[in-house]
Structures are given as C-alpha cells and as structure tokens.
Amino acid sequence: MNINKNYQNISDSYLFSTIAKKVNEFALSNPDKKIIRLGIGDVTLPLCKVVVDALKSASDDMGVKDSFRGYGPEQGYDFLKTKIQNYYCNFGVNLDLDEIFVSDGAKSDLGNILDLFDVNNTVLVPDPVYPVYVDTNTMAGRKIIFIDATEQNNFLPLPDKSVKADIIYLCSPNNPTGAVYNKAQLKAWVDYANENNAVILFDSAYECFITDDELPRSIYEIEGAKTCAVEFCSLSKMAGFTGTRCGYTVVPKALENGILNKMWLRRQTTKFNGVAYIIQRAAEAVFTPEGQKEIQQNLNYYKENAKLISQVLTKHNIWHIGGKHSPYIWLKCPNNMTSWEFFDYLLNNVQIVGTPGSGFGTNGEGYFRLTSFGSRENTLEAVQRLDAFLN
Ligand SMILES: *Cc1c(COP(=O)(O)O)cnc(C)c1O
C-alpha cells in the first residue's frame, strides 16, 4: 500500500501543545501563583436545565419498548429539523426540511463536505482563520490560496476579482478575530461566487452571538446565496454542546441544480449513522422558547465577560476588535511585541494565558486572542490584574 502523502504537508499543531508546555513550566517554578486561562476556545457554563431534562426523558424513552429507537435517519429526525427550520424563519430564511442535515458538529461536516468536490479545485482561505479549513484541504491535496485579513480591511477581506477560486471559506463572526461581515460585504462574496461558479462554505458557528439586527446571522439572508453557499452551524458555542455534540449543515437544492444536496445525502447515509436520539432530543430543547431563553442567559454571561475585557483594553489604549458579536477579543500586542512575546509577557507578569494570533495564520503575527469563556470571577480578576499592571 501507499500512504496518503498529503499528510506530510500538514503542519504539526504546535499551538496548543506549546501553550500547555509553557504554562506547565511556569506553574512548576511558580507554585504560589494563580494562573487564569483566557485562551480556551471551549465553553465553561453547564448545559441548560431544559436540555438536561430532555436528555433524561429521552434516556427513559430508550428503556421502554414502545419508545425505543434504533438506527435513525442519518440526516436527523424531523422533530429536530422542524425546529431548525423554524429557527431560520427568525432570520427571514425559508428552508425545506430536506435541505437541513443534522450532524455531530460543524468541524466534522466542514471536513467531510470536501468529499463532494474534485481535488483539482482551488481553495480560498482567509488568513488568519480557524485552522481546520487549511488542514482538511491539505490532507486531500488541494491547492490553497490565502486572502489577507488585516487591520486595513478590519479583518474582513472582500473578493478580489482577479483571483480565481472555486471553494471559498468564510467564517462570520470570525474565529479568532470576532469580525462580522455586514450584508453588503457578504453580498459581494455571494456575487463573486455566483459569477465564478464557486461555492462558499460559510461557517456560522458563532451566529448566536450577533445582537445587531442589521448583521446577517445566516448567509441565506443574502440574495443569491442559495445558488452558491453551504452553511455550517453548531450547538457547541450556542448551547454549550462542545462535549454533547450536535450541529447542522444546510445544503440548498438550488445549489448546482440539486446535485450537491443529493450527493451530501448519499455521502451521509453511506458514511454517517446520524446523531444519537437522546442528543437530538436535547438539541430540540435548545430551540424551544424556554431553551432559547436559558441559552441567552449563558450567552449574555459570556458577552458581559467580553465587555469587561474590552473596557480594560480600551482604558489602556490597546487596539482590539471583537467581543461584541463574538466570544473572542482580538488585540494588537502593545510595543510591537510578537504574539509569542506577548504570550510570555502576560504569563510572566500577570499570569494570564491567551492564544498567540500567529497560531491562526501569518497575518495573526503581532496579534493575540482572549476569550470570554472563563468564569466571571476569573475574568474580573484578570481584568483587575491587567489594569494594575498596565498602569
Ligand atoms: C468551535 C468551532 C467550530 C466547531 O464546532 P463543533 O460543532 O464543536 O465541531 C466550527 N467552526 C468554528 C469557527 C469554531 O470556532
């Protein structure tokens, strides 16, 4: 046999292992110092009560002959898909049930969707961005070109008509920068994709953090998007499902005359067995009015954390964006420090751990990501330490 040599081209993910190593070394030599972690991209608040109730009651269903479920539909139960369909109506987006595919999360689908596309397509990826887009295409041996997200374009690059790409990744609100495309900007991408017969893979994992009604929460709010975009969403950041696992992907039938929708169904029914019934019942609870109210409380908690971090950075004239419609704050390292220099600086002086921007792409160098996913107590303490130290 021959191995897939493309794997030799994936860069080892040193980012989080290097962070862990540096933090462990510091902790060993400074056992009396409390370290505050604001680097994690994982939620910390527990599941909402309605979700836990749904998990319990669905577990009971599984122990009773009449309500027991075996293999389910690979693309998800209608009870959940109907809820997701109604959720999209809130944004003025109408979807057919068979355009919605329930999955175990956005990361899997973002990688798996590549089964549908020829290896000879050119892929366009913003820099900096969530590393999964680059790694999955590198594994498949696809050519990747980058588009610069910089301070000059507010980390929201727009299409360059002289660049020809077939598969385009967009992530809005963005991880790591927290930048959000407005409708006119997304329309430029949709027009570019339709003109070039390209497909947009739109990652909306953080749409629920958007509070401004003018900002699009789904790419299908943009006219023409159904003929060029696949949308990926997840309950991970929305409802704390990072360890529970549920997401959904929309493949419109208007895309490529229905061929991609059919291919994705075929792909999922062949290679995926669906999400556990119990988990789909928990996801269903998220979309009930009570569930929406409860998850909103958690989202508000994270947003308040973000506001506290943003305020202290503003006070000390540290350039930053994000935090408003996203759990991430993206700041420019002061005094021209590199991302890793600033990492060491924060760890050594105030024992705050963040994520070096350079880990998300070349343009991330000199920038730094802080998250609002910590506890209020820790966030307040971090803010207080920063305030005292930066004075
Ligand atoms: C967290 C995250 C995801 C992954 O979501 P899962 O459903 O947990 O796989 C997808 N995209 C971005 C940008 C993320 O930050």
Side-chain angles (χ1 to χ4, degrees):
M1 64 83 174
N2 295 309
I3 59 162
N4 178 352
K5 293 217 173 58
N6 295 317
Y7 276 65
Q8 291 162 6
N9 301 325
I10 318 165
S11 52
D12 279 321
S13 176
Y14 292 119
L15 180 65
F16 289 98
S17 58
T18 310
I19 293 174
K21 191 165 154 256
K22 280 178 178 270
V23 173
N24 287 340
E25 279 169 7
F26 181 89
L28 275 178
S29 39
N30 301 276
D32 53 318
K33 297 234 165 91
K34 182 188 161 193
I35 295 167
I36 299 179
R37 288 178 170 78
L38 298 183
I40 40 162
D42 196 359
V43 296
T44 54
L45 291 173
L47 294 174
C48 297
K49 184 171 180 304
V50 280
V51 171
V52 175
D53 289 346
L55 282 169
K56 287 180 183 164
S57 118
S59 300
D60 287 339
D61 291 348
M62 292 297 278
V64 175
K65 191 167 188 309
D66 285 346
S67 50
F68 167 77
R69 312 267 180 140
Y71 285 120
E74 288 88 348
Q75 64 275 34
Y77 286 106
D78 277 355
F79 64 75
L80 175 55
K81 293 206 294 177
T82 309
K83 286 280 196 302
I84 296 167
Q85 186 184 40
N86 287 334
Y87 182 70
Y88 269 95
C89 289
N90 296 334
F91 321 139
V93 174
N94 295 310
L95 299 174
D96 289 345
L97 276 192
D98 58 1
E99 293 178 308
I100 300 167
F101 297 82
V102 174
S103 73
D104 66 348
K107 185 164 88 172
S108 331
D109 279 9
L110 281 159
N112 294 336
I113 197 82
L114 295 175
D115 274 13
L116 312 192
F117 303 110
D118 191 275
V119 70
N120 292 316
N121 287 298
T122 297
V123 181
L124 184 66
V125 181
D127 171 0
V129 89
Y130 185 57
V132 168
Y133 315 148
V134 171
D135 290 351
T136 49
N137 279 290
T138 306
M139 287 172 181
R142 242 176 239 106
K143 183 182 168 208
I144 302 171
I145 52 178
F146 293 94
I147 184 161
D148 291 329
T150 62
E151 222 175 298
Q152 286 69 41
N153 58 28
N154 298 312
F155 289 94
L156 294 168
L158 291 173
D160 175 348
K161 297 218 158 56
S162 68
V163 174
K164 177 88 186 78
D166 307 302
I167 300 173
I168 300 158
Y169 285 86
L170 297 177
C171 178
S172 174
N174 189 275
N175 179 8
T177 68
V180 191
Y181 281 111
N182 66 27
K183 286 185 181 161
Q185 292 165 328
L186 267 194
K187 179 82 169 86
W189 277 113
V190 166
D191 289 347
Y192 170 91
N194 280 323
E195 279 158 27
N196 289 279
N197 188 30
V199 67
I200 295 174
L201 303 180
F202 190 74
D203 186 343
S204 65
Y206 296 94
E207 59 80 15
C208 54
F209 284 84
I210 294 177
T211 40
D212 183 343
D213 285 344
E214 290 302 307
L215 293 173
R217 295 183 50 170
S218 160
I219 195 164
Y220 304 118
E221 292 179 51
I222 311 303
E223 200 194 325
K226 280 191 182 167
T227 52
C228 67
V230 175
E231 181 161 286
F232 303 85
C233 201
S234 164
L235 278 75
S236 285
K237 320 294 164 39
M238 176 202 279
F241 270 51
T242 50
T244 307
R245 311 303 318 145
C246 195
Y248 47 93
T249 291
V250 178
V251 186
K253 286 179 285 190
L255 198 52
E256 206 70 14
N257 296 317
I259 293 169
L260 282 180
N261 178 281
K262 269 207 193 98
M263 283 171 72
W264 183 243
L265 178 64
R266 192 71 177 85
R267 193 264 168 218
Q268 291 298 78
T269 51
T270 303
K271 294 198 190 179
F272 181 58
N273 260 321
V275 176
Y277 166 74
I278 298 167
I279 304 300
Q280 291 194 58
R281 282 292 183 200
E284 180 191 24
V286 169
F287 294 103
T288 60
E290 190 51 37
Q292 288 292 298
K293 213 191 294 166
E294 289 186 22
I295 64 160
Q296 199 54 53
Q297 287 167 1
N298 290 355
L299 294 171
N300 289 345
Y301 178 96
Y302 294 134
K303 277 199 197 134
E304 182 62 26
N305 284 348
K307 203 160 138 192
L308 292 166
I309 298 169
S310 175
Q311 277 167 353
V312 75
L313 296 176
T314 303
K315 182 175 168 192
H316 295 279
N317 290 319
I318 294 179
W319 185 97
H320 64 284
I321 55 169
K324 213 165 164 194
H325 304 293
S326 126
Y328 301 119
I329 286 160
W330 182 249
L331 64 92
K332 190 172 188 169
C333 305
N335 305 323
N336 291 319
M337 274 185 261
T338 66
S339 299
W340 278 111
E341 281 167 359
F342 190 61
F343 177 91
D344 292 332
Y345 177 83
L346 283 187
L347 179 63
N348 292 324
N349 292 300
V350 284
Q351 291 79 56
I352 294 170
V353 180
T355 313
S358 53
F360 298 97
T362 319
N363 291 324
E365 181 59 276
Y367 294 86
F368 202 75
R369 190 190 78 176
L370 292 174
T371 87
S372 63
F373 284 135
S375 69
R376 177 64 46 76
E377 190 193 1
N378 281 346
T379 305
L380 279 169
E381 190 174 338
V383 163
Q384 196 198 335
R385 287 185 198 176
L386 278 174
D387 193 26
F389 182 70
L390 295 171
N391 255 331

